[in-house]
Short mmCIF file of all heavy atoms in Angstrom, two decimals:
data_model
loop_
_atom_site.label_atom_id
_atom_site.label_comp_id
_atom_site.label_asym_id
_atom_site.label_seq_id
_atom_site.Cartn_x
_atom_site.Cartn_y
_atom_site.Cartn_z
N TYR A 34 28.21 -27.36 -51.80
CA TYR A 34 27.14 -26.53 -51.23
C TYR A 34 25.79 -26.84 -51.86
O TYR A 34 24.91 -25.98 -51.91
CB TYR A 34 27.50 -25.05 -51.41
CG TYR A 34 28.89 -24.73 -50.92
CD1 TYR A 34 29.90 -24.42 -51.83
CD2 TYR A 34 29.22 -24.79 -49.58
CE1 TYR A 34 31.20 -24.17 -51.40
CE2 TYR A 34 30.50 -24.53 -49.13
CZ TYR A 34 31.49 -24.22 -50.05
OH TYR A 34 32.77 -23.97 -49.61
N LYS A 35 25.62 -28.08 -52.33
CA LYS A 35 24.35 -28.50 -52.92
C LYS A 35 23.23 -28.27 -51.90
O LYS A 35 23.36 -28.57 -50.72
CB LYS A 35 24.40 -29.98 -53.28
CG LYS A 35 23.23 -30.47 -54.09
CD LYS A 35 23.35 -30.07 -55.54
CE LYS A 35 22.28 -30.72 -56.40
NZ LYS A 35 22.40 -30.35 -57.83
N GLY A 36 22.12 -27.73 -52.38
CA GLY A 36 20.99 -27.44 -51.50
C GLY A 36 21.04 -26.06 -50.89
O GLY A 36 20.10 -25.64 -50.22
N GLN A 37 22.14 -25.35 -51.08
CA GLN A 37 22.28 -23.97 -50.60
C GLN A 37 22.34 -23.02 -51.79
O GLN A 37 22.72 -23.40 -52.90
CB GLN A 37 23.57 -23.80 -49.80
CG GLN A 37 23.63 -24.48 -48.46
CD GLN A 37 24.96 -24.22 -47.80
OE1 GLN A 37 25.90 -24.98 -47.97
NE2 GLN A 37 25.05 -23.13 -47.05
N TRP A 38 22.00 -21.77 -51.54
CA TRP A 38 22.35 -20.71 -52.48
C TRP A 38 23.84 -20.42 -52.32
O TRP A 38 24.40 -20.59 -51.23
CB TRP A 38 21.53 -19.45 -52.20
CG TRP A 38 20.11 -19.57 -52.65
CD1 TRP A 38 19.09 -20.17 -51.98
CD2 TRP A 38 19.57 -19.11 -53.89
NE1 TRP A 38 17.93 -20.11 -52.72
CE2 TRP A 38 18.20 -19.46 -53.90
CE3 TRP A 38 20.10 -18.43 -54.98
CZ2 TRP A 38 17.36 -19.16 -54.97
CZ3 TRP A 38 19.28 -18.12 -56.05
CH2 TRP A 38 17.92 -18.48 -56.04
N LYS A 39 24.46 -20.00 -53.40
CA LYS A 39 25.87 -19.64 -53.38
C LYS A 39 26.05 -18.27 -54.04
O LYS A 39 25.41 -17.99 -55.05
CB LYS A 39 26.72 -20.65 -54.18
CG LYS A 39 26.97 -21.98 -53.50
CD LYS A 39 25.82 -22.93 -53.54
CE LYS A 39 25.49 -23.44 -54.93
NZ LYS A 39 24.36 -24.44 -54.88
N ASN A 70 20.41 -19.04 -46.05
CA ASN A 70 20.90 -20.31 -46.61
C ASN A 70 21.80 -20.06 -47.81
O ASN A 70 21.71 -20.72 -48.84
CB ASN A 70 19.72 -21.21 -47.02
CG ASN A 70 20.16 -22.62 -47.41
OD1 ASN A 70 21.11 -23.16 -46.85
ND2 ASN A 70 19.48 -23.22 -48.38
N ASP A 141 21.84 -21.04 -57.53
CA ASP A 141 20.74 -21.53 -56.70
C ASP A 141 21.02 -22.91 -56.11
O ASP A 141 22.07 -23.51 -56.37
CB ASP A 141 19.42 -21.47 -57.48
CG ASP A 141 19.32 -22.50 -58.60
OD1 ASP A 141 20.11 -23.48 -58.62
OD2 ASP A 141 18.44 -22.33 -59.46
N PRO A 142 20.11 -23.44 -55.28
CA PRO A 142 20.35 -24.74 -54.64
C PRO A 142 20.51 -25.90 -55.62
O PRO A 142 21.05 -26.95 -55.25
CB PRO A 142 19.11 -24.93 -53.76
CG PRO A 142 18.68 -23.53 -53.42
CD PRO A 142 18.93 -22.76 -54.68
N GLU A 143 20.05 -25.72 -56.86
CA GLU A 143 20.24 -26.75 -57.88
C GLU A 143 21.49 -26.48 -58.72
O GLU A 143 21.69 -27.11 -59.77
CB GLU A 143 19.00 -26.80 -58.79
CG GLU A 143 17.72 -27.16 -58.06
CD GLU A 143 17.82 -28.50 -57.33
OE1 GLU A 143 18.36 -29.45 -57.94
OE2 GLU A 143 17.40 -28.58 -56.16
N ASP A 144 22.30 -25.54 -58.27
CA ASP A 144 23.59 -25.22 -58.89
C ASP A 144 23.46 -24.55 -60.26
O ASP A 144 24.37 -24.61 -61.09
CB ASP A 144 24.50 -26.45 -58.99
CG ASP A 144 24.81 -27.06 -57.63
OD1 ASP A 144 24.68 -26.33 -56.63
OD2 ASP A 144 25.17 -28.25 -57.57
#
Side-chain angles (χ1 to χ4, degrees):
Y34 310 110
K35 189 78 172 181
Q37 290 180 269
W38 285 82
K39 284 78 67 177
N70 189 33
D141 70 17
E143 299 303 317
D144 300 339

